[in-house]
Amino acid sequence: MSYPKTGEEVYVSLNLSNTMLTGLGKGTITREDVSVDYLKKLFMQHGVIVSAKPEYRNIMERVNSTYDLGLEIPAKLQLFQLSEQHRRLVVVNISGLQRKNGSLLPSYTEEELDEATFTFVKYYVQGEHYDELVEENKKLRYELEQEISWRNRTDSEG
């Protein structure tokens, strides 16, 4: 599977860190569990860039083979920051693998990888802050209520 180069690629990583968010100003980040089918459509629309340490290549290859994602896994870590163009990050959550101090180990056996389960979470950055979105929503709701009230008035009212 070959994904397009759009300039708005989705990043795929095994974690979310503050350094990934450094390039952003004030905004809102939404989090959503997503399916593999959704990911494939998302990657076909926007393209994809994998950001994973070389020692985790076997994990990413297992994700690829298990879900037929067709991800190109780079030989070295590609650091990134979310930005106006690159608003989407998919984090591969891994359960069932031994960790040391909360971090994945440098390598795992095939048997250990057989025990692992993977889920996917999409993070999306919105350029507007949550508080601004709430205020806009209130304003629109008020205007809608006024419009409905006006349309539902009786002839005796006006």
Side-chain angles (χ1 to χ4, degrees):
M1 200 173 311
S2 181
Y3 297 112
K5 302 285 186 225
T6 65
E8 297 180 354
E9 283 80 5
V10 178
Y11 290 111
V12 173
S13 184
L14 296 174
N15 65 346
L16 171 65
S17 70
N18 281 332
T19 58
M20 296 173 184
L21 306 174
T22 304
L24 297 171
K26 191 175 180 181
T28 300
I29 299 173
T30 57
R31 178 190 183 282
E32 172 185 15
D33 293 323
V34 294
S35 70
V36 172
D37 289 338
Y38 175 87
L39 286 182
K40 288 178 181 179
K41 290 175 189 168
L42 187 69
F43 297 161
M44 284 306 291
Q45 183 178 357
H46 296 285
V48 62
I49 297 172
V50 175
S51 175
K53 293 179 180 176
E55 60 261 32
Y56 300 139
R57 184 175 190 84
N58 62 343
I59 294 172
M60 293 306 296
E61 286 174 348
R62 177 57 65 102
V63 169
N64 247 350
S65 64
T66 301
Y67 300 104
D68 191 31
L69 287 175
L71 299 174
E72 291 180 26
I73 304 167
K76 64 179 192 169
L77 175 63
Q78 293 191 14
L79 296 176
F80 68 91
Q81 291 180 338
L82 295 173
S83 66
E84 287 299 311
Q85 290 77 32
H86 300 280
R87 296 173 172 264
R88 295 167 187 84
L89 166 66
V90 172
V91 174
V92 180
N93 284 334
I94 306 166
S95 300
L97 290 180
Q98 183 180 354
R99 296 170 186 259
K100 182 175 183 179
N101 298 327
S103 296
L104 294 168
L105 301 177
S107 65
Y108 294 95
T109 65
E110 288 299 313
E111 293 77 24
E112 289 172 316
L113 288 173
D114 287 344
E115 297 295 315
T117 57
F118 306 97
T119 57
F120 305 93
V121 177
K122 180 186 82 172
Y123 293 87
Y124 180 76
V125 177
Q126 292 177 228
E128 292 187 64
H129 189 270
Y130 177 78
D131 294 342
E132 294 168 6
L133 295 171
V134 168
E135 286 303 313
E136 177 70 13
N137 192 19
K138 284 181 187 175
K139 179 182 170 215
L140 291 171
R141 184 173 289 137
Y142 174 78
E143 289 173 1
L144 178 62
E145 288 169 357
Q146 294 301 309
E147 179 73 17
I148 290 171
S149 175
W150 186 83
R151 286 177 184 249
N152 291 338
R153 74 187 191 290
T154 62
D155 284 340
S156 62
E157 291 176 335

